Amino acid sequence: MFGLFYPYGMVLQLLAIVHFVRRRPNTYWLWIILMFGALGALAYILIEVIPDAGLLRGAFQVFPRRKRIKALEAAIIDNPSVGNYEELGDLYLDDGQFARARECFDRVIAKTDEIDPHYRRALCALALEDFPAAAADLEPVVARDPKYDYQRAAGLRAHALAKIGERDKADALFVEVLETSTLSETQFNYACFLADAGRAGEARQWAERILRKKATMPDYIRRRERLWFRRAAALLKRAR
């Protein structure tokens, strides 16, 4: 069996460890990879890596996306239409080029009163930690559609308000949104808000609420929520 895997077993172990570090599944997997060598790594890849492939579609789209970005950057010189700028802004946002994306949405917003460009510009502002701009952009979005993007817009506005010191407004909006929203992102942001306000007991309750979801979630959703589980666990330790 050793001869069958050597030297590929070392490669399997390396790939498994890299994936483990990036995705942080249950800790026992690291021991399985290290103790059982190639067989442990192969089991890990079959059970954890392959099901994660669906979450990595964005990574596989990097080159087509950047090719389209270059095409739009050239096209926009002769045809600076709202549609071209909006598509380019979306592509920049997906590519993590938040400052460039925001510039595109600036041009779109100058020519339309639709709320989606405001929402997307707010996402750019949040990524750039420009919380006053994010709060301002999310205000018309939430005013016109309180449930926009499954109430994520309202949750992010509460988060932005908290960051700029409007704590009473943030608290009231968080409470309102979380009466019906189950988004882990919003729950985590509220837990952080509570922890920063010295309300450690309430912060722990919200962090625990996020972690309790793991027991009843389907595997594919649990994988998608792994980031929030990890952050909630860290917050729980900090809020003791």
Side-chain angles (χ1 to χ4, degrees):
M1 183 65 70
F2 179 80
L4 178 64
F5 278 101
Y6 182 82
Y8 305 109
M10 296 176 64
V11 176
L12 287 176
Q13 279 186 290
L14 179 61
L15 291 173
I17 290 171
V18 169
H19 182 275
F20 177 89
V21 170
R22 296 186 65 181
R23 298 294 297 160
R24 301 287 182 87
N26 293 319
T27 307
Y28 62 76
W29 275 116
L30 181 60
W31 296 106
I32 291 174
I33 295 166
L34 295 176
M35 296 295 292
F36 293 95
L39 286 174
L42 182 60
Y44 175 81
I45 289 169
L46 291 173
I47 296 171
E48 289 288 334
V49 179
I50 292 176
D52 263 0
L55 302 177
L56 299 175
R57 282 193 202 117
F60 294 122
Q61 293 172 354
V62 168
F63 295 112
R65 180 171 61 241
R66 290 184 180 172
K67 182 178 180 181
R68 180 59 181 162
I69 285 173
K70 288 184 178 180
L72 278 170
E73 287 173 339
I76 226 162
I77 296 172
D78 297 321
N79 183 20
S81 67
V82 169
N84 279 344
Y85 271 113
E86 189 164 15
E87 184 183 356
L88 185 57
D90 287 339
L91 290 169
Y92 279 146
L93 181 59
D94 290 342
D95 204 47
Q97 300 185 54
F98 304 114
R100 287 187 172 186
R102 182 154 70 167
E103 290 173 2
C104 290
F105 293 126
D106 286 342
R107 291 179 176 268
V108 174
I109 290 168
K111 296 182 179 180
T112 180
D113 64 349
E114 296 294 324
I115 60 175
D116 187 67
H118 281 279
Y119 177 63
R120 297 192 177 281
R121 189 169 69 175
L123 296 180
C124 298
L126 288 168
L128 295 168
E129 298 188 352
D130 186 353
F131 298 109
D137 263 330
L138 289 166
E139 183 176 10
V141 178
V142 176
R144 288 172 59 178
D145 186 356
K147 296 183 178 180
Y148 191 83
D149 197 12
Y150 302 97
Q151 296 181 280
R152 187 184 182 214
L156 289 175
R157 175 163 165 74
H159 175 58
L161 288 171
K163 289 294 186 179
I164 61 176
E166 297 192 30
R167 306 190 68 82
D168 291 340
K169 287 184 179 179
D171 197 3
L173 186 53
F174 269 129
V175 170
E176 179 185 342
V177 172
L178 289 170
E179 285 182 359
T180 52
S181 174
T182 59
L183 290 177
S184 296
E185 179 183 38
T186 306
Q187 293 173 338
F188 175 76
N189 286 338
Y190 187 44
C192 290
F193 168 79
L194 293 169
D196 292 341
R199 297 157 64 181
E202 293 174 83
R204 286 196 299 271
Q205 289 176 7
W206 281 100
E208 289 167 354
R209 184 176 299 194
I210 294 169
L211 293 171
R212 282 198 299 269
K213 296 179 183 180
K214 293 173 71 173
T216 56
M217 275 183 175
D219 287 345
Y220 74 96
I221 297 179
R222 192 181 303 125
R223 292 174 188 283
R224 195 172 60 202
E225 295 282 285
R226 190 175 283 161
L227 170 65
W228 301 113
F229 295 148
R230 189 160 65 242
R231 290 183 176 180
L235 178 61
L236 199 57
K237 292 179 182 178
R238 195 171 79 240
R240 285 177 180 170

